[in-house]
């Protein structure tokens, strides 16, 4: 069974993380690049809680098989700036940020990068919030205290895969439509 996200401080106390909290270098919070030559997916975490970030980082390291590179920002404005630069494969978005909250954050992310999958990572268990987030196009709604590290990585992997399959299907559909139009005009 994976590490649960509900009590990150307990995880830190058990020394399961590769670094101690007092040794944390906040300027260097990326998951170490893989030396195996595996292509790494860029996971943009928009989250203001350091403990939650550490747990996501640990989950990616422990269960991600070197496939993921974490880019962490604490506010929505920083996250939108990263998204506008490109190169992000998936967003993990907390809905309670210092500079934005709720579905407004999700709407801003979707407007900036509509093609990037977004997983809402929140402590909010209210069904209304989940339905509202779904209306804004989130790919999954993950409640922090009900989620293991393995489940988080599985959700990331599934969302990235589904997004790629959808892009391929859209390209195929576009090609078929062009052929139909071309054949109809011939």
């Amino acid at each position: 069974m994976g590490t649960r996200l509900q009590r990150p401080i307990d995880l830190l106390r058990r020394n399961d993380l590769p670094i101690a909290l007092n040794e944390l270098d906040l300027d260097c919070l990326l998951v170490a690049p893989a030396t195996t030559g595996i292509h790494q997916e860029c996971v943009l975490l928009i989250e203001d809680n350091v403990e939650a970030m550490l747990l996501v980082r640990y989950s990616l390291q422990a269960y991600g098989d070197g496939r993921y590179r974490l880019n962490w920002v604490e506010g929505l404005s920083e996250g939108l700036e990263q998204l506008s630069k490109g190169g992000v494969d998936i967003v993990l978005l907390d809905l309670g940020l210092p500079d934005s909250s709720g579905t407004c954050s999700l709407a801003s992310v979707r407007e900036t990068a509509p093609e990037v999958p977004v997983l809402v990572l929140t402590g909010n268990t209210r069904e209304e919030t989940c339905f509202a987030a779904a209306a804004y196009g989130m790919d999954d709604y993950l409640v922090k205290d009900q989620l293991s590290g393995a489940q988080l990585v599985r959700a990331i992997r599934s969302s990235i895969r589904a997004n790629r399959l959808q892009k391929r299907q859209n390209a195929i559909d576009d090609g078929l439509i062009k052929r139909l139009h071309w054949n109809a005009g011939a």
Side-chain angles (χ1 to χ4, degrees):
M1 187 161 126
T3 304
R4 302 214 29 105
L5 289 176
Q6 65 191 20
R7 297 166 53 190
I9 198 66
D10 291 342
L11 178 66
L12 293 171
R13 288 188 184 125
R14 286 195 340 251
N15 295 321
D16 287 344
L17 290 175
I19 60 171
L21 190 56
N22 62 353
E23 297 170 2
L24 180 63
D25 178 3
L26 292 178
D27 294 328
C28 184
L29 290 173
L30 299 180
V31 173
T35 57
T36 60
I38 297 173
H39 169 74
Q40 288 188 306
E41 309 289 349
C42 179
V43 177
L44 175 60
L45 173 63
I46 306 174
E47 167 68 67
D48 62 325
N49 182 301
V50 174
E51 289 179 0
M53 178 281 300
L54 288 171
L55 211 45
V56 168
R57 181 176 144 202
Y58 172 78
S59 298
L60 294 176
Q61 289 174 333
Y63 302 102
D65 299 324
R67 294 180 180 154
Y68 304 101
R69 180 175 40 89
L70 180 64
N71 186 358
W72 173 54
V73 297
E74 294 182 80
L76 182 64
S77 58
E78 294 171 280
L80 296 177
E81 183 179 325
Q82 289 294 318
L83 278 169
S84 66
K85 292 178 184 177
V88 173
D89 295 296
I90 192 163
V91 174
L92 301 180
L93 177 65
D94 181 22
L95 294 182
L97 298 166
D99 58 345
S100 180
S101 65
T103 55
C104 292
S105 301
L106 181 55
S108 296
V109 168
R110 279 290 177 216
E111 184 178 315
T112 302
E115 73 288 349
V116 176
V118 179
L119 304 182
V120 170
L121 187 61
T122 184
N124 188 335
T125 59
R126 293 181 51 207
E127 247 182 35
E128 302 84 31
T129 307
C130 179
F131 292 141
Y136 282 94
M138 59 115 190
D139 291 271
D140 206 345
Y141 190 88
L142 307 170
V143 179
K144 293 176 189 177
D145 66 351
Q146 299 173 1
L147 186 67
S148 72
Q151 290 168 328
L152 174 63
V153 171
R154 192 173 322 120
I156 290 169
R157 186 175 293 137
S158 295
S159 292
I160 290 173
R161 185 176 298 135
N163 182 266
R164 287 199 177 124
L165 289 172
Q166 186 62 53
K167 285 179 182 177
R168 279 190 208 135
Q169 186 61 48
N170 291 346
I172 291 168
D173 292 347
D174 289 345
L176 289 174
I177 290 170
K178 287 178 185 176
R179 279 190 195 157
L180 289 174
H181 286 292
W182 184 78
N183 288 339

